[in-house]
Amino acid sequence: MNDKILLVEDELQIASFVSRGLQHEGYHVLTAPDGETGLELAFSELPDLIVLDVMLPGIDGLAVCRQIREAQLQTPILMLTAKDAVPDRVAGLEAGADDYLVKPFAFEELLARVRALGRRRAPIESDAPLEFADLTLNPTTRMAQRSGRTIELTAKEYDLLELFMRHPNQVLTRDQIYDRIWGYDFGGESNIIEVYIRYLRSKLEANDEPRLLHTVRGVGYALREA
Ligand code: CA
């Protein structure tokens, strides 16, 4: 699967130069011309990386970054800051950005940062056990544990639970789940998600443990406590 990058940049020339370059490198690029659109896409598209300009009309990049982190979205964020604006860089990292790049920059510099952030995330995504409440999911063995009990999962059950574990406390829409787990759209009529959620709940709640996978009516599902 190609990495999906969200680029939030109001300067059209920079946006188009960066976007074309990244697409040429094989990335799938979404662009947003302002902070509001950037936030919307960050939550609806769940990109693998966000390149975020600080100076934006409306909600600025720092506020966008803070809102993303407050919502527990852990997507790596690369901030683009103005030349000589040292306070911007510090503020960016304090707001939850992972790295920054000072404008003007050469495309190769941006690409190097993008790749580094991808690498930084990769080992975490492949190996480290994911934890939420009393639930642990081990990507290496593809098994779950709840309050000491080992839970075997089928391939799709694992994929679905991993998606929720990587986006805790966040409502995932049915479309997002289809897109991420099945890679295509069922047309909205299928009840396959409901079926898998039911399987997962029966396994996760086998000892009457409290529910972690909650239905958000009319929207989708969320992994959260109560
Ligand atoms: Ca700008």
Side-chain angles (χ1 to χ4, degrees):
M1 191 175 68
N2 285 351
D3 270 7
K4 197 192 276 185
I5 298 183
L6 171 61
L7 171 65
V8 190
E9 168 64 88
D10 60 313
E11 287 157 85
L12 288 179
Q13 245 183 321
I14 297 179
S16 120
F17 145 78
V18 169
S19 157
R20 273 185 288 122
L22 288 173
Q23 281 171 17
H24 185 72
E25 294 296 323
Y27 293 98
H28 177 51
V29 184
L30 305 161
T31 54
D34 55 60
E36 284 86 350
T37 316
L39 275 172
E40 269 176 41
L41 291 177
F43 292 108
S44 65
E45 297 287 335
L46 302 178
D48 300 291
L49 174 79
I50 301 172
V51 178
L52 181 60
D53 189 32
V54 171
M55 294 289 290
L56 293 168
I59 311 176
D60 74 10
L62 295 174
V64 169
C65 188
R66 271 193 296 271
Q67 288 190 40
I68 286 172
R69 292 301 183 238
E70 276 163 19
Q72 307 293 324
L73 198 58
Q74 304 303 327
T75 317
I77 296 177
L78 172 63
M79 287 282 229
L80 303 180
T81 71
K83 199 183 172 195
D84 298 332
V86 176
D88 265 10
R89 303 178 205 172
V90 177
L93 297 176
E94 277 173 5
D98 298 275
D99 200 0
Y100 62 84
L101 187 59
V102 180
K103 284 176 164 181
F105 51 84
F107 179 74
E108 292 306 319
E109 279 181 83
L110 176 91
L111 188 60
R113 304 297 176 97
V114 165
R115 286 183 174 148
L117 286 173
R119 273 197 300 276
R120 198 180 299 174
R121 188 201 43 172
I124 300 167
E125 289 227 333
S126 52
D127 294 333
L130 302 163
E131 290 181 14
F132 184 82
D134 58 353
L135 179 63
T136 309
L137 188 66
N138 189 327
T140 312
T141 62
R142 294 177 70 89
M143 298 232 264
Q145 280 215 322
R146 189 155 192 206
S147 41
R149 171 170 71 85
T150 300
I151 304 167
E152 288 190 37
L153 301 168
T154 65
K156 279 286 182 254
E157 288 168 356
Y158 172 85
D159 290 345
L160 187 57
L161 186 55
E162 184 188 23
L163 178 66
F164 282 104
M165 297 287 277
R166 294 200 186 280
H167 301 280
N169 296 308
Q170 193 185 328
V171 179
L172 298 177
T173 66
R174 296 165 50 92
D175 284 350
Q176 287 170 339
I177 297 170
Y178 281 135
D179 183 53
R180 282 288 169 131
I181 305 300
W182 283 276
Y184 55 92
D185 190 353
F186 279 81
E189 294 306 314
S190 164
N191 69 340
I192 193 161
I193 293 181
E194 286 70 15
V195 170
Y196 274 95
I197 293 280
R198 207 156 57 227
Y199 291 157
L200 274 177
R201 280 177 179 160
S202 72
K203 291 187 175 183
L204 299 179
E205 301 167 15
N207 285 354
D208 281 331
E209 289 100 336
R211 176 149 296 179
L212 294 176
L213 278 174
H214 294 270
T215 304
V216 182
R217 280 192 67 183
V219 187
Y221 297 91
L223 179 74
R224 62 188 179 209
E225 292 180 270

